[in-house]
Amino acid sequence: MSVPSGPGSSWLLRLAPDTVPPQPACSPETLAAAEHPLGPDPVGWALEVARDMAAHIVRQVPEHGAPGAAVPFQRAVEATVLTALTGLLTEPEPTAALVPPEAVASNAELARRNVPLDRVLRGVRLGHAYLHGRLMEALGKEPEEIRVQETHRVSELLFVYADVQASRLAEEYVAERDRWRRGREAARRRIVDELLAGRLVGGAVAARTLGYELARHHVALIVTSGSPDTSTEELRLLAAELCRAAGAEQLLTVAAGSAELWAWMCWPAEPRRAALARLPRQVPERRPLRVALGPVGYGTEGFRRSHRGAREAERMARLGRTGWLCDYADVSTAALLTADVEHARWFAARVLGALGGDDPRVRELRETLRVYLAEGRSPQGAAERLFVARNTVTYRVRRAVELLGRPLEVDALELRMALEIARLLGPG
């Protein structure tokens, strides 16, 4: 879109700075492209306005002024103001090519720093609003004929330029963020693969690449989804929420597939088991997402072992009847017993006999007996865990023993193992 200009646009050539303008930060090419049509005074005015504009934006969006981002941002603001001023004078076709390279470079830096896109675009909107205000202020000093003619033209053209710039920067942001993440993810995945393989990796190199301390107590997570349409970002958000709920110091995430994320959270001191056990109650379920939690481990070896435990918990979640969060601590025995699933089912069927049936009533008796034995044969302890009366536990245990066809004292270890297998795998 282009708005025809009239002879009144020459007022732009009368713009001049109020004081000595700052030294330019933008590229010599950008400066030369503006100086040719505008002249030194309007360029000085643009540099002065750009300095004030940058400060105005940083006050409201501090990320633009963060260490390492401030200088590229100042260059971007200068180039944007000079380009806009030149455009108001010459009215080129408003295409993506109008966005100066300094703005694209600053935008890429913000993408690499993971500044949210809405914050980046807020800076664009604030900048164009500020520039519009300064131009209207300057235009207010011109004769009425020029003000009437130019007010609408300037406002509409600036809106077009802002729209073009926001669209280009949004596209560049997404592309740069994806490139950066792919490169960063690839480097992190290489280090993680080396650690999981048990190979020696320098602690400093690993910490720098991963952004994660290995000399800590770790708990690994494997976050998966039952839907292929789930984004990696959704998996990361759930991992981050679990990390916060567990009170962990750091979180490391690595994409492991289209619907799988590996993660680790760590603490300087060993976390309490109770804090991890509360996670399913503290964090709401997000179907179709599931989480497998590994055991606590220390250092590089603990990092590896916790992931292996999480992998076993994830396997048990796929095989059995666990909740949306499967903790290795709850299934470690069954994981060991079911390394060979077919053999495990045969074993459970042989040991349990009639108690291994799939009838709901039989399953209830079997689960009561399992809890009763886990509670050291305490009817009261089992009743509290199952939320039933003590007499109910006593009755169910008696019925379970009848189906079993032998006293509990016979092969007690085999019986407990068979009950664990049946709990997770179901009858053979």
Side-chain angles (χ1 to χ4, degrees):
M1 173 183 179
S2 178
V3 180
S5 64
S9 62
S10 60
W11 68 276
L12 293 164
L13 301 177
R14 294 192 288 273
L15 293 172
D18 292 331
T19 59
V20 176
Q23 287 296 310
C26 61
S27 71
E29 293 78 12
T30 298
L31 195 63
E35 282 179 336
H36 175 67
L38 292 171
D41 281 349
V43 166
W45 181 90
L47 295 177
E48 187 177 72
V49 168
R51 177 196 60 200
D52 299 341
M53 181 195 296
H56 170 73
I57 295 171
V58 168
R59 280 194 294 271
Q60 298 181 68
V61 190
E63 293 92 335
H64 288 287
V71 173
F73 179 62
Q74 183 63 48
R75 292 191 188 116
V77 172
E78 278 188 13
T80 298
V81 174
L82 287 167
T83 302
L85 208 59
T86 304
L88 289 173
L89 183 68
T90 63
E91 292 197 13
E93 187 67 25
T95 66
L98 271 182
V99 181
E102 291 91 339
V104 175
S106 174
N107 182 64
E109 178 63 28
L110 294 171
R112 291 191 290 269
R113 289 174 178 272
N114 208 28
V115 175
L117 179 57
D118 65 319
R119 302 288 286 169
V120 176
L121 296 182
R122 176 164 164 72
V124 173
R125 292 192 296 270
L126 287 168
H128 280 274
Y130 184 88
L131 178 57
H132 180 266
R134 291 292 292 265
L135 284 167
M136 291 299 105
E137 181 184 318
L139 191 55
K141 299 173 184 176
E142 295 293 327
E144 184 177 358
E145 181 185 356
I146 295 177
R147 289 203 306 273
V148 171
Q149 176 182 312
E150 287 290 281
T151 297
H152 176 69
R153 187 185 76 88
V154 168
S155 297
E156 190 161 352
L157 267 179
L158 277 184
F159 176 81
V160 171
Y161 293 157
D163 188 53
V164 168
Q165 183 168 23
S167 298
R168 169 82 187 277
L169 293 185
E171 291 175 6
E172 293 284 348
Y173 176 97
V174 172
E176 179 62 28
R177 182 194 60 192
D178 291 346
R179 280 193 298 269
W180 177 256
R181 281 185 176 174
R182 282 196 298 271
R184 189 165 175 247
E185 281 285 318
R188 291 166 79 176
R189 180 61 188 268
R190 283 194 296 272
I191 293 292
V192 165
D193 286 344
E194 292 290 303
L195 292 169
L196 295 182
R199 300 189 186 98
L200 187 62
V201 179
V205 172
R208 184 169 60 251
T209 304
L210 299 176
Y212 180 87
E213 286 295 330
L214 291 172
R216 293 288 189 274
H217 296 271
H218 309 282
V219 168
L221 304 92
I222 296 176
V223 188
T224 56
S225 173
S227 168
D229 297 326
T230 303
S231 69
T232 302
E233 194 57 34
E234 288 180 76
L235 305 179
R236 281 197 176 95
L237 286 172
L238 179 54
E241 192 169 347
L242 288 165
C243 179
R244 284 193 298 271
E249 178 186 66
Q250 286 182 302
L251 175 70
L252 167 66
T253 63
V254 177
S258 59
E260 182 172 317
L261 182 82
W262 298 348
W264 287 262
M265 47 190 180
C266 68
W267 297 258
E270 185 171 355
R272 294 182 178 179
R273 179 69 229 154
L276 298 174
R278 287 195 298 267
L279 287 179
R281 299 190 298 274
Q282 290 179 304
V283 177
E285 180 178 358
R286 292 184 186 171
R287 294 183 180 180
L289 305 190
R290 298 176 68 95
V291 178
L293 208 65
V296 178
Y298 182 79
T300 302
E301 185 59 21
F303 180 93
R304 185 176 72 88
R305 287 182 179 175
S306 188
H307 178 76
R308 290 191 63 182
R311 177 57 73 201
E312 282 298 294
E314 192 266 336
R315 178 178 70 84
M316 297 309 299
R318 280 187 283 110
L319 287 174
R321 301 165 180 174
T322 66
W324 70 270
L325 190 151
C326 183
D327 189 341
Y328 178 78
D330 297 331
V331 297
S332 57
T333 301
L336 185 63
L337 295 173
T338 58
D340 182 331
V341 173
E342 188 177 20
H343 189 183
R345 282 200 165 112
W346 290 346
F347 173 84
R350 177 181 63 80
V351 172
L352 296 176
L355 189 57
D358 198 29
D359 179 83
R361 180 59 178 161
V362 174
R363 289 201 301 269
E364 183 179 68
L365 297 177
R366 191 167 59 235
E367 177 62 8
T368 301
L369 180 60
R370 187 190 70 81
V371 174
Y372 171 76
L373 293 174
E375 289 293 318
R377 305 193 183 198
S378 165
Q380 186 60 40
E384 290 173 1
R385 277 185 59 180
L386 294 168
F387 301 103
V388 297
R390 175 180 174 139
N391 288 344
T392 300
V393 170
T394 302
Y395 170 75
R396 289 179 184 173
V397 168
R398 186 168 62 249
R399 286 288 298 123
V401 171
E402 290 173 3
L403 289 176
L404 193 63
R406 62 181 182 279
L408 295 182
E409 287 71 22
V410 178
D411 299 327
L413 178 59
E414 284 196 351
L415 175 59
R416 290 196 62 183
M417 291 191 300
L419 289 168
E420 285 294 333
I421 292 169
R423 176 172 74 101
L424 285 153
L425 302 184

